[in-house]
Amino acid sequence: MTDTPIRLADYLPPSHLVDGVSLTFRLDPGRTRVLSEIRFRPNPARTGRPDLRLDGEGLALVSAALDGAPLAVQPDATGLTLPGASLPDAPFTFTAEVEIDPAANTALEGLYMSNGMYCTQCEAEGFRKITFYPDRPDVMAPFRVRIESDLPVLLSNGNEVASGPGWAEWHDPWPKPSYLFALVAGDLVAHSAGFTTASGRTVALNIWVRPGDEARCAYAMDSLIRSMKWDEEVYGREYDLDTFNIVAVDDFNMGAMENKGLNIFNSKYVLALPETATDDDFARIEAVIAHEYFHNWTGNRITCRDWFQLCLKEGLTVFRDEQFSSDMRSAAVKRIEDVLTLRARQFREDDGPLAHPVRPEEYIEINNFYTATVYEKGAELIGMLKRLVGDEAYARALDLYFERHDGQAATIEDWLTVFEDATGRDLAQFKLWYSEAGTPRLKVSDRFEDGRYTLEFEQVNPPTPGQPVKQPKVIPVAVGLLNPNGDEVLPTTVLEMTEPRQSFTFEGLGARPVPSILRGFSAPVVLERETSPEERAFLLAHDTDPFNKWEAGRALAKDVLARMVTEGAQPGPDWLEALARVAVDETLDPAFRALALRLPGEDDMAQTLHAAGHVPDPARINAARERMAGALAERLEPELGALIETLTEPGPFSPEARAAGRRALRLAALGLVTRRDGGARAEAAFRAANNMTEEVGALACLLEIGRGQEELGLFETRWAGDRLVMDKWFALQILHAAPEETAATVERLTAHPAFDWKNPNRFRSVVGALSANHAGFHHASGAGYRLLADWLIRLDPLNPQTAARMSTAFETRARYDADRQGMILAELDRILATPGLSRDLGEMAGRMRHA
């Protein structure tokens, strides 16, 4: 890579500030005109007469003027520069007219078209593809926007202030950076409602969709209203405009975007009916709606000073949406699901060539840092901070944060200073979590004598790219102790580890206790402690902490599966009996029981074996996991039929958590039954299903045992006209394909008439599913590697963001044998040798190739 990195250490305040922006859009698919009027003033934080740099890419400049006087300026490839010596040492107005081509914008950033609808995506640096502007988060200004078009719906940020035939004007009074600008124009209809804020203001709520989709918005609207109410009650944050609009867009690189007052969503996170959306879809809609709404305060009213501070808005907002979902659903189950996601995505990232701190020190392409580390690990840091200072102090600190930094572009230093001022704590050591990459490993040993029980901890911070040596971190370790009879003798207590090695002693105990360590997953670390299968089975039966109860069963399963892979062992009775007791324990949440029955994933096992010094063989892992599932099905066979029957509920579908948990456990049981009855019960369940959760679940059960071709055909016929449901149809076939057939299945489906590789959702449902089938992607033939590289090279010129994100499937190459490593390196070399390779994909492939 020859691109010069952008470094945090080189940050300079903007040369000029913006007091107001007026934009006029004359929309045309191939020749949209954008007229801008920007009121600048010199920034007192900069001395001298610095140049004014305006970012701009792919813009045809028609005219420009300074205080009405025409300017003879020539843009370069990335913008234009107004020499400081020629600028007034006082406020001035810059105007420009540019022409852009939304119809040709396949990268889906800036202003583009999605099936006849105009749409924008400006985070992180898309606004520069709309007009010339200082496109950086620390330049904040109010916007006034006029849209001219014969389309019936014309939307932008803020409140609509005027409209007439063929035009509309919008005003956003709250200063915002350009990345939060949004515009939508199209033939849309609204699903509408209202919300009365805590102070008594009425807010008009609209979800805008294509005609025919308006009946699929009710759950999204309900989620929005609950989010608004929750944010008032829990964080004291009230909405601040007269209107809140959401638009569902089919072609979108991300999940959604929090543009001020006009959130733009990937349609998969808005549209839902029981017949078309699964329980997982409903849960994701609830979470994403909440996430983007919560950004109104943690991201919009207070934004990030520069893109290195991205975790400030994203980590905090992810933490807030996790809190919301925990309150709406089962907090215990939500925590387990969040940790599963963290380990699958972020721990994997931390362990490979793409490891980076939560706040990176440099980047080449900022789009490549919308990562699990910034989002999920960033949220874990907020959770740790809350755990360390306590709930009341956390609430005080957040109130101070909103009071002190409202309307500002803030930094991690600002955030931590607020906590120091609110609590009196010194957070200098805690700040290391933001600046050092990698997942700490927490090694634990214990001893017991004369009623004294001692836990000894050692933290190891492994080297990561560019950071060979690490310092000890603050690690909150939540611990409980149980008596040998299962009684809890020490309720959850948070131990604060600050040294490389530390011991904690508990006195007055009558017997050696069984420790429950890292309750609630109190820190994002890998816990290493030698334990017996009997102790893990004990914790699975008796631990009062739901997360550690699940974790004990998970660890037991991984131990069993590891021995099956490396030694050819068979599943032992300890694991089978312990899981059987959990499966039928009606005192436990059905959603929890469903999670307990879920076997460790193959990628997870590959990482576990690699960490233990083994070279994982994807084929052996796949075969062992199949044997494990078969053994569990055999052990539970007497109970499964009754379990399915007792979980079957008559009446209409409900997306609420209790009903969803019962369906999850019923489908887990059905998957095991299918391994014993050859699919008879799953076939009947597929035909009787009256909701998408059970229809897809039953079909997956059949595909898992090599059946279901007739059902696939019925599914396709029934849902061929529904783009989101068909994404499921594509993905199911690949996720459940036999390893030796996975690449061929992908090739067959990419030739299907409904495969639109330019649509990110469809591309992810096919090519993305390839890498999600662990044994298929890593098949010894290398066909999966070649196929993915082929499609990344093809997609990159059109949509470099999506291509770069999907290239991360190659980040785990160091785990595997020399042959697989060589094949992956060959594909990375082929990608890097591609003429015209984008900065996005080039940076990612280069980092993975040269690690």
Side-chain angles (χ1 to χ4, degrees):
M1 292 297 296
T2 58
D3 295 273
T4 302
I6 298 170
R7 296 184 172 88
L8 173 59
D10 297 333
Y11 172 82
L12 285 175
S15 64
H16 293 74
L17 304 177
V18 177
D19 290 324
V21 181
S22 295
L23 301 172
T24 298
F25 287 82
R26 295 171 181 160
L27 296 178
D28 180 272
R31 302 182 63 181
T32 287
R33 288 290 177 104
V34 184
L35 290 74
S36 62
E37 180 182 288
I38 309 166
R39 300 190 301 280
F40 286 104
R41 60 183 164 91
N43 186 354
R46 294 285 297 273
T47 59
R49 302 285 293 274
D51 296 344
L52 172 57
R53 178 65 179 175
L54 302 179
D55 301 299
E57 294 180 9
L59 309 175
L61 180 61
V62 177
S63 65
L66 184 69
D67 286 336
L71 285 174
V73 291
Q74 184 63 42
D76 55 41
T78 61
L80 60 84
T81 299
L82 303 181
S86 67
L87 297 174
D89 192 17
F92 61 90
T93 299
F94 172 80
T95 56
E97 182 174 356
V98 303
E99 186 173 281
I100 56 178
D101 185 354
N105 183 358
T106 60
L108 310 184
E109 54 182 350
L111 179 66
Y112 65 93
M113 300 200 73
S114 173
N115 296 321
M117 176 171 66
Y118 293 89
C119 179
T120 57
Q121 172 55 36
C122 293
E123 187 176 358
E125 296 176 339
F127 192 77
R128 63 191 60 191
K129 297 185 176 183
I130 292 174
T131 193
F132 291 103
Y133 193 79
D135 188 12
R136 45 188 291 169
D138 55 353
V139 175
M140 303 175 71
F143 278 61
R144 190 178 187 96
V145 177
R146 178 182 173 91
I147 309 169
E148 299 176 1
S149 172
D150 58 0
L151 289 166
V153 175
L154 309 174
L155 305 172
S156 192
N157 306 88
N159 301 314
E160 188 175 40
V161 292
S163 64
W167 64 276
E169 290 187 359
W170 292 78
H171 177 235
D172 183 1
W174 299 100
K176 67 173 179 285
S178 55
Y179 81 84
L180 291 172
F181 170 78
L183 178 151
V184 171
D187 181 11
L188 302 169
V189 293
H191 177 99
S192 301
F195 180 78
T196 301
T197 69
S199 66
R201 290 188 307 105
T202 299
V203 180
L205 309 178
N206 300 293
I207 299 179
W208 297 91
V209 296
R210 298 183 185 279
D213 283 337
E214 57 268 33
R216 302 168 72 179
C217 301
Y219 191 75
M221 181 62 80
D222 178 64
S223 298
L224 173 60
I225 291 171
R226 286 185 284 117
S227 302
M228 298 176 79
K229 182 176 175 59
W230 184 90
D231 211 18
E232 289 182 343
E233 294 175 346
V234 178
Y235 279 84
R237 298 299 103 195
E238 186 174 304
Y239 186 62
D240 52 7
L241 291 168
D242 299 334
T243 304
F244 188 87
N245 287 315
I246 288 174
V247 180
V249 179
D250 291 338
D251 300 285
F252 206 68
N253 284 332
M254 302 183 182
M257 179 62 210
E258 72 267 19
N259 318 292
K260 182 70 177 184
L262 178 56
N263 286 190
I264 299 177
F265 272 64
N266 188 317
S267 56
K268 69 185 290 184
Y269 297 115
V270 173
L271 305 179
L273 288 172
E275 296 81 12
T276 62
T278 65
D279 287 323
D280 285 344
D281 292 329
F282 280 104
R284 279 192 291 266
I285 287 169
E286 180 180 73
V288 177
I289 290 278
H291 180 94
E292 305 308 332
Y293 174 73
F294 296 155
H295 263 314
N296 186 61
W297 277 92
T298 51
N300 297 3
R301 287 285 288 264
I302 305 176
T303 191
C304 47
R305 186 196 70 179
D306 51 69
W307 290 120
F308 296 101
Q309 321 295 329
L310 180 61
C311 61
L312 178 61
K313 76 180 186 78
E314 294 300 347
L316 178 54
T317 306
V318 169
F319 179 72
R320 280 164 29 85
D321 82 53
E322 290 175 351
Q323 285 183 293
F324 170 76
S325 293
S326 293
D327 287 350
M328 297 299 108
R329 296 170 177 265
S330 163
V333 170
K334 173 62 176 167
R335 186 57 181 150
I336 294 168
E337 291 172 341
D338 289 341
V339 174
L340 281 169
T341 299
L342 181 80
R343 287 172 170 169
R345 298 180 59 219
Q346 199 281 318
F347 278 22
R348 163 177 160 154
E349 197 167 83
D350 255 352
D351 193 52
L354 301 180
H356 62 86
V358 173
R359 183 173 69 177
E361 295 294 320
E362 66 178 41
Y363 62 80
I364 291 174
E365 172 51 63
I366 185 55
N367 287 325
N368 288 336
F369 281 89
Y370 283 75
T371 62
T373 296
V374 167
Y375 280 68
E376 276 79 26
K377 188 172 182 178
E380 291 296 316
L381 303 197
I382 308 298
M384 280 197 294
L385 197 52
K386 184 173 184 288
R387 195 168 288 112
L388 287 167
V389 304
D391 293 348
E392 291 185 7
Y394 174 81
R396 288 199 311 273
L398 266 292
D399 286 342
L400 179 59
Y401 178 64
F402 294 126
E403 176 187 339
R404 182 179 291 180
H405 295 293
D406 187 14
Q408 296 180 8
T411 64
I412 292 301
E413 285 75 17
D414 294 329
W415 166 254
L416 293 178
T417 298
V418 162
F419 272 81
E420 290 180 329
D421 292 348
T423 67
R425 288 185 63 114
D426 181 348
L427 294 174
Q429 187 181 16
F430 184 83
K431 187 180 175 183
L432 293 172
W433 281 102
Y434 285 99
S435 60
E436 292 188 352
T439 303
R441 311 190 85 80
L442 194 61
K443 299 183 178 182
V444 186
S445 61
D446 62 346
R447 63 179 185 273
F448 179 76
E449 54 186 354
D450 299 327
R452 292 165 54 91
Y453 179 68
T454 300
L455 283 170
E456 297 179 342
F457 294 91
E458 178 186 1
Q459 61 168 296
V460 178
N461 291 281
T464 51
Q467 293 184 324
V469 179
K470 308 289 177 64
Q471 301 178 62
K473 295 181 175 64
V474 180
I475 302 177
V477 185
V479 171
L481 300 178
L482 294 93
N483 260 340
N485 65 359
D487 293 340
E488 187 172 71
V489 292
L490 177 74
T492 302
T493 302
V494 177
L495 310 177
E496 194 169 320
M497 189 176 183
T498 58
E499 304 295 332
R501 295 177 180 82
Q502 261 175 283
S503 297
F504 300 89
T505 298
F506 309 90
E507 301 191 15
L509 301 174
R512 184 187 187 97
V514 177
S516 171
I517 304 172
L518 210 64
R519 284 185 158 185
F521 199 67
S522 58
V525 301
V526 174
L527 184 66
E528 296 182 353
R529 176 173 174 266
E530 290 188 12
T531 57
S532 65
E534 292 77 17
E535 181 176 317
R536 286 176 171 163
F538 174 88
L539 289 171
L540 179 59
H542 299 291
D543 204 327
T544 57
D545 179 72
F547 177 83
N548 271 13
K549 188 181 191 72
W550 169 84
E551 179 82 314
R554 182 80 167 183
L556 191 60
K558 290 177 76 171
D559 285 349
V560 170
L561 187 51
R563 290 197 300 272
M564 293 175 69
V565 173
T566 59
E567 304 170 10
Q570 295 299 317
D574 289 340
W575 173 71
L576 290 170
E577 293 306 317
L579 208 54
R581 286 194 296 272
V582 169
V584 299
D585 186 348
E586 295 186 0
T587 67
L588 297 174
D589 182 347
F592 177 91
R593 292 149 69 190
L595 281 172
L597 288 173
R598 187 189 302 176
L599 301 185
E602 293 178 24
D603 185 80
D604 185 10
M605 283 309 303
Q607 177 58 28
T608 299
L609 291 167
H610 174 67
H614 299 284
V615 177
D617 182 334
R620 287 178 63 88
I621 294 172
N622 175 261
R625 192 171 181 273
E626 285 295 303
R627 294 200 312 275
M628 191 180 205
L632 184 60
E634 182 178 6
R635 167 59 188 85
L636 285 174
E637 188 172 16
E639 290 90 0
L640 291 173
L643 187 61
I644 291 171
E645 293 302 324
T646 59
L647 292 166
T648 302
E649 292 184 336
F653 175 93
S654 169
E656 57 90 23
R658 177 185 174 277
R662 292 173 67 83
R663 281 189 292 272
L665 182 55
R666 187 163 70 249
L667 286 171
L670 180 64
L672 294 171
V673 165
T674 303
R675 293 176 177 275
R676 303 296 296 170
D677 73 357
R681 192 154 193 162
E683 288 178 4
F686 175 84
R687 284 164 173 76
N690 63 357
N691 62 78
M692 185 54 62
T693 301
E694 297 188 341
E695 188 172 347
V696 163
L699 180 54
C701 292
L702 293 170
L703 294 173
E704 192 64 21
I705 64 166
R707 298 278 304 277
Q709 293 307 305
E710 180 182 349
E711 287 76 14
L712 275 173
L714 293 171
F715 192 99
E716 181 184 13
T717 300
R718 184 181 305 159
W719 298 112
D722 190 303
R723 55 199 179 277
L724 295 179
V725 177
M726 284 300 290
D727 285 338
K728 304 178 194 302
W729 180 83
F730 277 102
L732 276 169
Q733 297 175 71
I734 299 161
L735 293 172
H736 297 282
E740 65 277 8
E741 297 173 0
T742 304
T745 301
V746 173
E747 289 196 274
R748 173 173 57 81
L749 290 174
T750 57
H752 191 282
F755 176 66
D756 177 6
W757 62 280
K758 298 177 184 179
N759 175 269
N761 284 350
R762 188 57 48 87
F763 190 86
R764 285 187 285 260
S765 73
V766 178
V767 183
L770 166 63
S771 58
N773 184 325
H774 181 262
F777 179 60
H778 292 287
H779 190 264
S781 66
Y785 305 149
R786 292 190 295 274
L787 187 56
L788 177 60
D790 287 345
W791 277 104
L792 295 179
I793 291 169
R794 184 176 181 184
L795 181 66
D796 184 58
L798 275 72
N799 191 330
Q801 280 192 42
T802 298
R805 289 190 179 116
M806 296 192 61
S807 71
T808 60
F810 290 128
E811 71 180 325
T812 60
R813 70 174 171 86
R815 293 177 184 169
Y816 301 102
D817 58 84
D819 287 345
R820 286 183 171 87
Q821 288 196 41
M823 290 187 288
I824 291 173
L825 287 173
E827 298 310 320
L828 290 171
D829 286 337
R830 185 158 66 95
I831 291 170
L832 289 167
T834 303
L837 190 68
S838 74
R839 187 173 59 188
D840 306 63
L841 182 55
E843 179 184 17
M844 297 297 277
R847 288 167 64 192
M848 290 184 286
R849 172 60 180 89
H850 300 298

